[in-house]
Amino acid sequence: MLKKHIFKILLGFLFSAVLIFLTLRQVNFRESLELIKNANYYILIPGVLIYALTYVLRSIRYYFMLSPIKKTPVLKNFPYTVLGFFMNNIIPLRIGELIRAKVTGERLSVSRSSVLGTIVIERLIDVIIFVLFFFVITIVIPFPEFIKKTFYMCAVIFGAALAVLFLVSKSEAKAAAVISKIPVHGRIKDFAVKFLEKFAGGLIILRKPKVFCAAFILSILVWVTESFFLVLTASSCGINISIIGGIFVVIIIGIGAIIPTAPGYIGAFEFMGVTALAALSVDKDAAFACIAIYHFLQLMTIFTLGILSIIKEKISFSDLFKFEKIEEGS
């Protein structure tokens, strides 16, 4: 499957290289390296534990999202949730989400397409929370009008996407009828209709207000907790920012993760993080030191949790890469 996307992969590595170059040309690398060496790493020990907690919260959130499809023990999906993020840091194009859908579906004996549907909703909730956070932050921090308009556009686009998915979840038959009218090859059309039928099963959360609200509240907790980790990382580098400032930096990095880059969001993470901290009047050398430590600790934490999950679930690496088709029998 990766061979089919070789151009996109190379383009992603190119974007990463350009963004790393643009980031490094803004900073004195030697000065940043000195700040990294002199950081207070004792502060970061609880910070890493707090970051690991975000994956527990993500797992609990996903328990609620999956509950309309299948009831499981609360933390049963923890290793599968971790594996999705783990693989996103190894291979590009966010293919880790497909692998997560495959592994979760196989291990919990549910439709992998339905799982993929819940993951799509999960990502939409994250983006909508980013937009809501931004509007709250604008009350405290003034932003140029063009940035506000960008977030207004995001609110409209992703809000519309959520509305469309809600309509699909309410009327699968009408959605299938629309697809059946698309002028494409019959086999492709049949596959699309069958996939929609199973994918729509994962959208049932949109018709469960209590479950949706639980997932939404847990999503807020995930991003506030991750932002607190950033605040601690900044403090270790001698940078004082509020939790509001931390949330701002995290959502800007999150928006940057949309850019197709090398695995681990390398380049986009650093460029967006330094840019966001600079907007909070943080010296760029210190900002780069902070973001470099923050990103490294994130990668190491998810790598450790990923390896432990693979060992616990007895999953082979070769099996993880068999993700070309995510639906049963296709």
Side-chain angles (χ1 to χ4, degrees):
M1 185 173 181
L2 290 178
K3 290 180 180 179
K4 297 178 183 178
H5 299 284
I6 188 66
F7 175 75
K8 294 178 184 177
I9 292 171
L10 292 175
L11 191 62
F13 276 96
L14 177 62
F15 279 147
S16 284
V18 170
L19 290 171
I20 289 171
F21 171 75
L22 292 175
T23 303
L24 292 178
R25 72 192 297 248
Q26 302 178 66
V27 304
N28 182 327
F29 186 70
R30 289 184 178 179
E31 184 66 29
S32 294
L33 189 59
E34 195 63 29
L35 289 168
I36 291 172
K37 288 179 180 178
N38 295 325
N40 183 352
Y41 287 93
Y42 290 109
I43 295 177
L44 295 174
I45 295 173
V48 169
L49 294 176
I50 287 169
Y51 180 63
L53 175 63
T54 65
Y55 289 96
V56 176
L57 293 173
R58 290 176 195 273
S59 180
I60 296 171
R61 171 180 67 176
Y62 197 64
Y63 158 77
F64 282 103
M65 297 189 70
L66 199 61
S67 62
I69 302 172
K70 182 170 184 176
K71 292 285 187 180
T72 65
V74 176
L75 294 178
K76 176 69 175 177
N77 69 82
F78 177 79
Y80 319 135
T81 301
V82 166
L83 283 174
F85 290 91
F86 173 75
M87 295 304 292
N88 274 339
N89 288 335
I90 293 178
I91 51 180
L93 307 177
R94 300 190 75 96
I95 290 173
E97 309 291 17
L98 294 180
I99 295 172
R100 177 183 167 192
K102 171 186 179 294
V103 173
T104 302
E106 288 177 350
R107 294 303 173 109
L108 298 182
S109 300
V110 295
S111 163
R112 285 166 274 179
S113 295
S114 294
V115 173
L116 187 61
T118 61
I119 292 173
V120 169
I121 298 299
E122 189 180 62
R123 291 292 155 267
L124 278 174
I125 289 174
D126 284 339
V127 175
I128 290 169
I129 285 173
F130 284 172
V131 174
L132 293 176
F133 273 157
F134 177 79
F135 291 142
V136 172
I137 291 169
T138 55
I139 299 172
V140 181
I141 305 172
F143 290 100
E145 196 60 33
F146 80 93
I147 293 180
K148 291 183 180 179
K149 287 181 179 178
T150 300
F151 274 86
Y152 291 145
M153 190 179 301
C154 286
V156 171
I157 292 172
F158 290 104
L162 197 62
V164 168
L165 291 175
F166 175 72
L167 292 174
V168 170
S169 72
K170 286 198 70 175
S171 184
E172 297 171 29
K174 288 183 179 179
V178 170
I179 291 176
S180 66
K181 293 178 181 178
I182 299 175
V184 294
H185 191 278
R187 293 178 67 181
I188 296 176
K189 191 181 298 185
D190 290 342
F191 172 79
V193 171
K194 289 178 182 177
F195 180 79
L196 173 68
E197 290 173 356
K198 295 187 185 303
F199 179 84
L203 307 182
I204 193 172
I205 184 178
L206 297 176
R207 304 200 309 270
K208 305 284 185 179
K210 290 182 179 179
V211 176
F212 185 85
C213 286
F216 196 86
I217 291 168
L218 281 162
S219 296
I220 292 174
L221 289 175
V222 165
W223 293 111
V224 170
T225 304
E226 188 160 326
S227 300
F228 186 57
F229 173 44
L230 174 62
V231 170
L232 288 178
T233 307
S235 179
S236 75
C237 296
I239 301 169
N240 292 315
I241 58 173
S242 66
I243 188 65
I244 294 294
I247 290 172
F248 167 69
V249 176
V250 166
I251 64 174
I252 295 301
I253 291 173
I255 295 298
I258 296 173
I259 301 171
T261 56
Y265 316 111
I266 294 172
F269 196 107
E270 285 70 25
F271 179 78
M272 301 301 281
V274 171
T275 301
L277 281 172
L280 298 177
S281 301
V282 175
D283 175 77
K284 288 190 176 181
D285 295 339
F288 179 75
C290 170
I291 295 301
I293 293 172
Y294 180 61
H295 195 188
F296 176 77
L297 290 177
Q298 280 197 1
L299 292 174
M300 289 302 99
T301 302
I302 191 59
F303 180 80
T304 302
L305 291 175
I307 293 297
L308 291 174
S309 296
I310 287 171
I311 294 171
K312 178 183 179 298
E313 295 297 315
K314 299 179 181 179
I315 300 173
S316 68
F317 272 99
S318 61
D319 187 49
L320 284 174
F321 281 93
K322 294 174 183 176
F323 52 83
E324 287 87 351
K325 296 175 182 178
I326 64 165
E327 191 47 69
E328 298 83 357
S330 55

